[in-house]
Amino acid sequence: MKRYEIHPAHAESPLRVAEFEPAPLGEHEVAVAIKAVSLNYRDLLVSRNTYFCNIPNGLVPCSDGAGDVVAVGKQVRLLAVGDRVATLFFPHWQGGRPDAASVTGALGAESAGAFTERFVSDESGLIKLPAGLSHAEAATLPCAALTAWNCLFEAGTLVPGQTVLLQGTGGVSIFALQFAKAAGARVIITSSSDAKLERARALGADHGINYKTHPDWSQEALRVTGGRGVDVVIEVGGPGTLEQSLASVCIGGRIAYVGVLTGLAGQANPVMLIPKAAALHGIFVGSRAMFADMLGAMTLHGIKPQIDREFAFGEAPAALARLESGGHFGKIVIRVGG
Ligand SMILES: NC(=O)c1ccc[n+]([C@@H]2O[C@H](COP(=O)([O-])OP(=O)(O)OC[C@H]3O[C@@H](n4cnc5c(N)ncnc54)[C@H](OP(=O)(O)O)[C@@H]3O)[C@@H](O)[C@H]2O)c1
């Protein structure tokens, strides 16, 4: 069987295909024939060993996979051979508030990831899929989609009629656009590309701002909200964009701090959160319970993940390069297995 391994020490070509023999299945374990994985910006950080934790040479990458159950251990109760499943980013975060135990073992960084023909996990680390999603679509959900869901409806406490501000047209932001529109919210989205803003409008975005031609885009966000500001911001940038988000958020609003696209060390002054009585909330993906809610909403509203491009198994380096280029809109998927 084949899987990808990451070798951060080989900076020029960190992704390698390796042959392996699957280990015997434990009593509580499930074997999944992975059919597709999706890439996240995090996979770039992992491949460069600049993620939050140290990445050992040989780690199997990717948190996000979907496939078919092909074998189950004797004590497995909830899954059966033939079930279609997706991986959980945090296999131990089943529900409730995160704690030290639930946010350990993240796939594709702290434990072996999904970029393998045969993925083995305790059944609690997998979630059964509804019929309406293909493997490729389902493979886009465990990280980006769940993060967007958590930002909007858990940390963001979004209600219909409120305004959401999204940055760029990558995986998290495009899922957030789709979810926010389904929930009856108004969406303002930024992008470096007018063509991508058009695509976002076609998906329901109410206002698009080109952050290259409007680097001070909070002014535009305030203008289109009549000076009030936005209720929820999903902050995927960091230094530079966080200052704009702090200026854009309304009194009583929430900034969900998710990403590091513009770097790790910023100078943003959060003091305006005080008179605005606004919240800055760090987000780390989400739990199985949130995933189940999200799948229910996607089924009800017929939400289909926006797949930028699907690559063949052997094209993983090209897929990672596409992610790095920032040319994508939504998610990049790689097919696995036959
Ligand atoms: N905390 C968590 O749980 C969590 C979960 C998922 C992701 N993340 C993080 O969130 C970030 C986004 O992840 P992703 O997977 O959605 O990334 P992605 O798909 O690679 O998104 C890339 C897009 O972000 C946009 N972008 C880049 N720089 C920008 C800037 N200065 N201002 C506004 N938009 C900018 C660009 O959109 P345009 O081409 O339209 O300009 C780019 O195409 C990453 O830092 C990732 O590590 C964190």
Side-chain angles (χ1 to χ4, degrees):
M1 297 224 162
K2 290 191 175 61
R3 66 186 179 201
Y4 268 95
E5 295 177 354
I6 286 269
H7 293 267
H10 300 277
E12 289 304 306
S13 55
L15 279 173
R16 303 272 172 88
V17 177
E19 298 277 346
F20 75 102
E21 281 297 322
L25 211 55
E27 289 198 331
H28 295 273
E29 287 183 330
V30 173
V32 181
I34 295 287
K35 298 296 181 188
V37 295
S38 81
L39 295 182
N40 293 286
Y41 189 77
R42 165 191 195 256
D43 297 312
L44 270 177
L45 302 176
V46 166
S47 71
R48 297 172 185 148
N49 204 359
T50 54
Y51 193 58
F52 296 117
C53 58
N54 185 51
I55 304 300
N57 271 318
L59 178 88
V60 180
C62 294
S63 54
D64 296 13
D68 299 327
V69 173
V70 290
V72 295
K74 283 197 188 96
Q75 300 296 329
V76 169
R77 294 287 170 261
L78 300 175
L79 291 173
V81 170
D83 283 346
R84 299 164 68 254
V85 293
T87 51
L88 295 189
F89 183 101
F90 286 124
H92 308 299
W93 190 6
Q94 300 292 307
R97 286 174 55 182
D99 59 21
S102 55
V103 295
T104 54
L107 261 55
E110 292 181 307
S111 67
F115 206 170
T116 172
E117 289 182 338
R118 186 60 49 93
F119 179 77
V120 172
S121 163
D122 270 24
E123 63 176 330
S124 57
L126 299 163
I127 190 163
K128 205 167 161 176
L129 293 167
L133 290 169
S134 68
H135 288 120
E137 290 166 344
T140 66
L141 303 178
C143 180
L146 188 54
T147 300
W149 179 271
N150 186 357
C151 290
L152 294 175
F153 306 116
E154 301 278 339
T157 61
L158 183 71
V159 296
Q162 290 190 333
T163 302
V164 174
L165 191 140
L166 306 172
Q167 300 170 353
T169 57
V172 173
S173 296
I174 294 302
F175 274 118
L177 163 59
Q178 294 177 282
F179 295 157
K181 290 313 297 178
R186 177 162 64 151
V187 171
I188 303 171
I189 190 164
T190 71
S191 177
S192 58
S193 152
D194 288 339
K196 288 184 174 184
L197 288 175
E198 269 315 304
R199 290 183 68 182
R201 280 194 195 93
L203 281 174
D206 300 276
H207 300 282
I209 307 172
N210 187 316
Y211 63 81
K212 294 282 184 202
T213 53
H214 290 88
D216 197 12
W217 47 258
S218 58
Q219 293 304 315
E220 200 54 19
L222 290 170
R223 188 185 66 75
V224 299
T225 55
R228 177 182 177 273
V230 303
D231 297 277
V232 179
V233 183
I234 301 189
E235 174 63 48
V236 294
T241 57
L242 184 55
E243 288 83 341
Q244 296 293 315
S245 298
L246 288 163
S248 301
V249 73
C250 74
I251 293 173
R254 287 81 66 201
I255 300 172
Y257 194 1
V258 164
V260 295
L261 289 170
T262 58
L264 299 173
Q267 302 289 324
N269 183 348
V271 73
M272 284 306 289
L273 292 171
I274 300 171
K276 284 188 173 182
L280 179 61
H281 193 138
I283 297 293
F284 212 0
V285 192
S287 67
R288 162 194 287 281
M290 295 178 205
F291 204 148
D293 288 346
M294 178 180 81
L295 288 175
M298 290 182 74
T299 302
L300 183 68
H301 292 283
I303 294 173
K304 290 286 188 182
Q306 295 295 302
I307 296 178
D308 173 77
R309 193 166 149 194
E310 280 186 41
F311 289 82
F313 184 78
E315 297 177 313
L320 204 62
R322 170 89 181 144
L323 186 77
E324 190 167 17
S325 77
H328 61 291
F329 181 97
K331 294 294 296 177
I332 294 168
V333 167
I334 305 171
R335 292 186 292 277
V336 180

